[in-house]
Amino acid sequence: MFALLLAGCNDTQSTLAPAGTGAQEIARLSWVMFAGAAVVWLAVMALALHATRRRAAPHPPRSARRLVLVGGVLVPTVVLGTLLYHGLLMMPGLREPPQQRRVVVEVSGEQWWWRVRYLREGRPPVTAANEVRLPRGERTELRLSSPDVIHSFWVPALAGKLDMTPGRTSTLVLEPTREGVFEGICAEYCGTAHALMRFKAVVMEPDAFDGWLDRQAAPARPPDGALARHGQAAFRDHGCGACHAVRGTGAAGGVGPDLTHIGSRLSLGAGILPNDREALRGWIADAHASKPGVLMPAFHMLAADEVEAIAAYLEGLE
Ligand code: CUA
């Protein structure tokens, strides 16, 4: 049954299919603990079998006490103490800050999405959302925080999870070892849409990462075609820019995700929807339908052609 359950997993969200040094250590520790647990379980089962097969003569009190002391106190103390020691030894190496920094990534847990900022020395920060991109083969420092409630940042394939606590900044160092798109999730109950608070961690070759970040730093592309231009006007007239920023236009809101390059993202609604025209239309008209509790209001008053136009405009913001 266990094998069948495991067969349903893919390796983009699995601690046991590591794609980062942190996850490799955790996977190794998991297998050590699994092996240890298997040995203890076999020993207990063997004792239980032995007990049922012996003639039912009462144990003398001294040997019974010895069994309890050895099996119930000594062995668990030694086994758990060794595992704890082993785990504590791993921690300093995992937290060591990188020597050279291509970029520092700030991630803020919002209700219920991820605000992501890339900081490069001597250059203005680049704001994005719901996707964390990282260069392969380098240690990258992530600074995690939250303005209001506690979230937990977790990309199981890359490393362990770390809480995002209001009022403090926690540092997580990620060192991805292979390219790919990995699933990230919020691992701490944070309110209504907690289970729908996901993101993508995209690991790229360092050169490709630099090119991508340069493109993200650029202002938004002007709308291409009549429909997208109509969409930009509707976006402005209905006040979408009060919550969302589209750099290079008048929209500069900071409440919701930055939409400057939303067309190039891999998902919508913080990792829960594909990024295509149909999902954009549905999200603009009524985000609650796909994400109950989301703070973005429904826009039922928009005409269908306006929704279509705004969707076309956003889709073109690559
Ligand atoms: Cu954010 Cu759970």
Side-chain angles (χ1 to χ4, degrees):
M1 202 177 81
F2 194 50
L4 275 177
L5 283 173
L6 279 178
C9 301
N10 63 30
D11 66 357
T12 61
Q13 194 184 315
S14 171
T15 307
L16 298 180
T21 50
Q24 276 163 9
E25 297 274 288
I26 290 170
R28 188 141 31 89
L29 182 64
S30 304
W31 289 117
V32 168
M33 290 176 73
F34 180 73
V39 169
V40 170
W41 183 78
L42 284 173
V44 171
M45 287 301 119
L47 276 174
L49 268 180
H50 177 66
T52 56
R53 284 174 180 211
R54 265 177 62 137
R55 270 181 296 132
H59 284 281
R62 267 188 61 187
S63 77
R65 201 176 312 122
R66 200 170 54 218
L67 183 70
V68 169
L69 281 178
V70 171
V73 179
L74 186 67
V75 171
T77 304
V78 169
V79 169
L80 295 178
T82 308
L83 285 173
L84 178 67
Y85 179 70
H86 183 71
L88 289 176
L89 274 189
M90 283 166 54
M91 287 176 82
L94 290 176
R95 309 194 61 171
E96 195 180 317
Q99 302 285 326
Q100 283 182 328
R101 292 170 186 195
R102 185 181 297 269
V103 67
V104 171
V105 187
E106 273 182 6
V107 186
S108 172
E110 308 285 329
Q111 295 185 44
W112 289 273
W113 57 281
W114 314 83
R115 190 190 299 274
V116 185
R117 285 180 7 127
Y118 298 84
L119 313 178
R120 289 184 289 186
E121 197 121 339
R123 309 180 69 168
V126 179
T127 304
N130 298 329
E131 211 171 85
V132 173
R133 297 211 177 211
L134 298 165
R136 187 191 64 82
E138 294 178 11
R139 294 170 71 76
T140 301
E141 179 181 331
L142 279 80
R143 296 184 187 148
L144 309 178
S145 63
S146 164
D148 38 37
V149 297
I150 301 176
H151 305 271
S152 181
F153 180 97
W154 193 24
V155 187
L158 296 186
K161 64 183 86 159
L162 192 63
D163 275 10
M164 310 170 95
T165 314
R168 64 167 292 166
T169 301
S170 314
T171 302
L172 178 70
V173 178
L174 294 181
E175 186 180 358
T177 51
R178 64 182 157 96
E179 261 183 283
V181 179
F182 305 97
E183 300 291 329
I185 49 176
C186 179
E188 174 79 38
Y189 181 72
C190 54
T192 315
H194 155 72
L196 299 172
M197 186 171 172
R198 311 178 60 90
F199 64 99
K200 306 275 182 202
V202 184
V203 177
M204 309 171 82
E205 288 303 322
D207 288 345
F209 173 83
D210 285 339
W212 171 83
L213 193 50
D214 286 340
R215 289 193 296 282
Q216 292 287 308
R221 240 169 58 166
D224 189 14
L227 186 63
R229 276 197 296 278
H230 175 41
Q232 186 183 32
F235 185 91
R236 182 190 58 223
D237 296 345
H238 290 289
C240 304
C243 291
H244 295 286
V246 180
R247 279 177 272 131
T249 74
V255 178
D258 183 297
L259 302 179
T260 309
H261 296 288
I262 185 178
S264 68
R265 289 184 198 145
L266 298 174
S267 66
L268 277 188
I272 60 166
L273 295 170
N275 189 2
D276 58 24
R277 183 76 66 91
E278 192 189 342
L280 274 166
R281 275 199 307 259
W283 185 266
I284 294 162
D286 188 1
H288 295 258
S290 33
K291 191 164 188 166
V294 65
L295 298 188
M296 174 164 151
F299 288 89
H300 295 303
M301 71 294 199
L302 290 177
D305 66 320
E306 282 180 311
V307 172
E308 176 72 20
I310 296 173
Y313 168 55
L314 296 178
E315 198 176 33
L317 295 178
E318 286 184 348

